Amino acid sequence: MPRCELTGKKPVVKNLVSHSNIKTKSRAFPNVWTKTFYSSCLKRSFRLKVAASTIRSIDKSGGIDHFLIKCPLNQLSPFALKLRKNMEKRLHKKDPKKK
């Protein structure tokens, strides 16, 4: 089942309603792609399954580093959580005076 690792987008169940009001169950899948991202903070690349709309959001926010730091924790996959934790450690190492 396709699911975005960063935003948590997953398939939704919907009804297709005909002119005679007959309801047919249907599923709408998100447009999920396997994409390689490069983190300038971690200085390495990694592969994630992300929706096309998430890719646009990442570009708008200024890169994968900024997007992961701002993203809510409950949406992230376990791998993305681990990446975020590593980024936060690296950022706090660089700026020990910041709290």
Side-chain angles (χ1 to χ4, degrees):
M1 176 167 27
R3 187 180 183 122
C4 180
E5 291 187 48
L6 298 179
T7 57
K9 287 188 177 190
K10 60 185 178 181
V12 292
V13 177
K14 61 181 184 173
N15 283 324
L16 298 176
V17 182
S18 69
H19 179 67
S20 61
N21 207 23
I22 296 173
K23 292 155 185 82
T24 306
K25 289 270 186 184
S26 175
R27 290 177 69 182
F29 295 99
N31 188 9
V32 175
W33 294 80
T34 301
K35 182 132 172 78
T36 304
F37 293 100
Y38 178 77
S39 170
S40 58
C41 177
L42 298 176
K43 299 197 181 354
R44 70 179 196 101
S45 60
F46 44 87
R47 296 176 79 185
L48 292 171
K49 286 184 179 180
V50 293
S53 59
T54 307
I55 295 171
R56 288 193 298 273
S57 298
I58 291 169
D59 289 341
K60 184 177 179 179
S61 68
I64 190 70
D65 299 331
H66 296 284
F67 184 82
L68 274 177
I69 296 299
K70 292 179 184 177
C71 195
L73 292 174
N74 59 354
Q75 291 180 352
L76 299 175
S77 69
F79 179 68
L81 281 171
K82 191 163 57 168
L83 286 173
R84 180 179 168 155
K85 188 190 297 185
N86 289 341
M87 285 179 191
E88 287 174 346
K89 282 182 187 176
R90 184 72 55 101
L91 290 173
H92 287 299
K93 256 186 199 177
K94 285 182 180 177
D95 301 327
K97 294 179 184 176
K98 272 191 174 180
K99 291 184 181 180

